[in-house]
Amino acid sequence: MERYEKARKWIIAVAVLGVVIAGPLQAANDAGAPGAFMRFGGSARSLALGGAVSALGDGAASSYWNPGSLSQLRNTEITAMSATMFSDTQYSYFSFGKPTDGKGVFSFGGTYVTSGEFEQADIYHDLGNTFNESEGVFTASYARGGSRFGYGTTLKSISQQINGISGTGFGVDVGMYLRPDRRLSLGMSVQNAIQPEITLDQYPEKMARTLRTGFVLHLLSKKLLVLGDVSKTEFSGSYFSGGVEVQPMRSLALRAGYDSLHEQVGFGGGIRHGKWQVDFAQLSHDLGSTTVVSATMRFGIYDGVEINSDRNRFSPSGAERSVDFHIDAAIRGSVESWAILMTDLDGDLIRVIEGEGHPPEVVTWNGDDNNGRLINDGNYKATITLVDDIGTKWNNSVDVAILGFRNRTKTPMRINISGSDNRDNGEDEK
């Protein structure tokens, strides 16, 4: 165990050192490199974080950067993004991801870029006409893995059209995800590992290959993320991107990042309500600024664990004497332990029900405290906590009320009444 702790600290130290070393890297520029539009981004969240998300892996859009990190997707999820760029260029992106039970994670995505009207000219003079350009990418991704390791691949079809001339090519991305510690995740991907080749008119052109490596530090119980990526694209130098995400409350996230490839500073945030999440990013670069908005909808157990009760109120001494808590979990690894904590409105702990391994589907509570005594009337909260195999905690809560016992004693008593109704024998009912 001591040796493992030392190794873990060394891994974290190396990751932080990588940020210090990568910081002075000279900014690269992919202007004119084939397939530059495919290095813009796949969600407002990732853009606000400078695109340093190859090791993040908690959404369907993660396959855009690293198909290996898609292995961490826990719920069926849909993400859509839109942005208006320079020269009236419209950028749209969508992704759909679905994890399965024991058969890996599947994802489908698409990117579409269309420009405004450009004036047609040769090296000598204007031709008096205009033209537009459009590019589209359709992807199909597959990933497998657990909470500590995952790998994946993406098949892509790329089409391009310039002034009525079009072409199509096919390529492959590969990637992997590693989680040596609950506070650190690592990612590596090769985008265009098999390079798409598109022929417009006569000459074929290959899309540039990009190697990405990155890390994420998960701090303060996932309320603070520090991210960094170092990448290398053909026809340009190495470049660094980094970002920070702070979650001051469960429904709000604030983000900032820097992308040296595009010399771009990003700020943004996200608001989450139930199964919906809306993210926005404001990007500042040499050509001005770009506003990006994306929306995500999740299906299923989006908090990792979910607890529901079969009734909102019950009476331990009445007809409905207990409440059943139904528990569902959706995490990529195994469950080491679980606990249900019952607390009152002041946050005082009333009752603990716990166990090892995966929790049962149903846990019953009859309104007693840890000493077996019935508790007072009032409103209470039941919080389920799961601890997975890397030490990450997942929580969810439900409210329940106990009513109708204001005058009863705290210690339940059972009285058996026996006797007869035969008053002719002079016996009284007892």
Side-chain angles (χ1 to χ4, degrees):
M1 182 62 69
E2 183 179 352
R3 181 179 299 178
Y4 169 77
E5 283 296 317
K6 289 182 179 180
R8 179 184 59 79
K9 291 178 180 179
W10 272 108
I11 291 173
I12 295 177
V14 170
V16 175
L17 182 63
V19 177
V20 177
I21 295 175
L25 285 176
Q26 186 175 10
N29 195 320
D30 67 346
F37 74 96
M38 294 188 296
R39 291 181 287 279
F40 178 71
S43 67
R45 182 191 185 195
S46 63
L47 289 169
L49 293 170
V53 294
S54 62
L56 187 55
D58 62 353
S62 62
S63 60
Y64 184 98
W65 308 93
N66 179 7
S69 62
L70 181 67
S71 63
Q72 303 306 298
L73 185 66
R74 296 178 290 104
N75 305 104
T76 300
E77 184 175 299
I78 299 174
T79 294
M81 185 187 80
S82 178
T84 300
M85 305 166 69
F86 58 91
S87 299
D88 294 326
T89 298
Q90 297 292 324
Y91 184 98
S92 301
Y93 171 82
F94 81 92
S95 64
F96 169 80
K98 182 174 180 58
T100 63
D101 189 8
K103 297 181 181 180
V105 182
F106 297 87
S107 175
F108 301 94
T111 303
Y112 184 69
V113 184
T114 179
S115 71
E117 295 293 327
F118 296 106
E119 294 184 0
Q120 195 171 3
D122 58 23
I123 60 175
Y124 299 108
H125 49 73
D126 293 336
L127 299 180
N129 298 320
T130 61
F131 71 96
N132 59 21
E133 178 184 0
S134 64
E135 294 98 359
V137 183
F138 178 78
T139 62
S141 303
Y142 175 72
R144 289 187 68 93
S147 59
R148 292 188 177 274
F149 176 75
Y151 59 92
T153 185
T154 295
L155 307 179
K156 59 174 66 173
S157 170
I158 302 175
S159 60
Q160 190 172 27
Q161 180 274 133
I162 300 177
N163 195 26
I165 302 174
S166 61
T168 302
F170 301 91
V172 176
D173 298 346
V174 295
M176 67 177 184
Y177 173 93
L178 182 64
R179 190 78 179 264
D181 185 85
R182 66 182 177 85
R183 285 164 288 214
L184 174 68
S185 58
L186 305 171
M188 184 180 75
S189 67
V190 182
Q191 296 172 301
N192 297 328
I194 297 179
Q195 295 170 276
E197 185 176 284
I198 298 178
T199 300
L200 296 175
D201 198 8
Q202 299 179 1
Y203 302 102
E205 185 177 53
K206 287 186 177 181
M207 301 292 102
R209 181 182 290 130
T210 298
L211 172 65
R212 305 179 64 89
T213 60
F215 72 91
V216 178
L217 296 178
H218 307 256
L219 308 173
L220 302 180
S221 299
K222 301 183 292 184
K223 294 181 180 179
L224 172 64
L225 302 179
V226 180
L227 309 91
D229 273 20
V230 177
S231 307
K232 174 67 172 70
T233 298
E234 286 183 302
F235 315 115
S236 67
S238 299
Y239 55 93
F240 169 76
S241 54
V244 176
E245 177 178 282
V246 180
Q247 191 174 4
M249 60 184 66
R250 191 180 186 87
S251 59
L252 176 65
L254 303 175
R255 308 175 183 116
Y258 178 70
D259 175 6
S260 68
L261 175 65
H262 302 101
E263 297 184 354
Q264 181 172 275
V265 177
F267 298 93
I271 299 174
R272 176 176 164 180
H273 179 70
K275 298 182 179 182
W276 281 95
Q277 180 174 322
V278 177
D279 298 295
F280 65 93
Q282 189 67 35
L283 311 178
S284 177
H285 42 74
D286 291 341
L287 297 176
S289 63
T290 302
T291 301
V292 184
V293 178
S294 64
T296 299
M297 185 177 182
R298 298 180 176 91
F299 303 86
I301 307 166
Y302 51 89
D303 278 327
V305 62
E306 187 173 81
I307 182 170
N308 294 291
S309 59
D310 64 343
R311 54 177 58 92
N312 295 327
R313 60 186 65 181
F314 70 104
S315 280
S317 62
E320 299 175 346
R321 299 190 175 190
S322 63
V323 58
D324 288 340
F325 296 116
H326 297 265
I327 304 170
D328 291 306
I331 61 175
R332 298 307 301 169
S334 60
V335 179
E336 294 294 314
S337 62
W338 62 273
I340 298 178
L341 307 181
M342 258 70 72
T343 56
D344 59 20
L345 292 180
D346 295 327
D348 295 329
L349 184 62
I350 303 298
R351 180 78 161 91
V352 178
I353 305 174
E354 58 188 348
E356 301 295 326
H358 200 281
E361 294 182 1
V362 179
V363 174
T364 301
W365 181 46
N366 60 6
D368 60 342
D369 62 14
N370 284 327
N371 296 316
R373 298 177 301 179
L374 296 180
I375 62 177
N376 291 329
D377 300 350
N379 296 315
Y380 297 89
K381 177 177 289 188
T383 301
I384 176 72
T385 299
L386 298 186
V387 180
D388 64 18
D389 55 348
I390 60 174
T392 302
K393 294 183 178 180
W394 307 88
N395 304 293
N396 193 245
S397 300
V398 66
D399 295 326
V400 64
I402 297 178
L403 301 175
F405 316 99
R406 305 241 177 235
N407 298 319
R408 62 171 165 78
T409 60
K410 283 192 175 182
T411 303
M413 300 175 61
R414 181 181 298 275
I415 300 176
N416 292 323
I417 301 177
S418 61
S420 172
D421 234 1
N422 190 349
R423 299 186 183 272
D424 292 339
N425 294 331
E427 295 181 1
D428 295 332
E429 183 182 0
K430 296 180 180 180

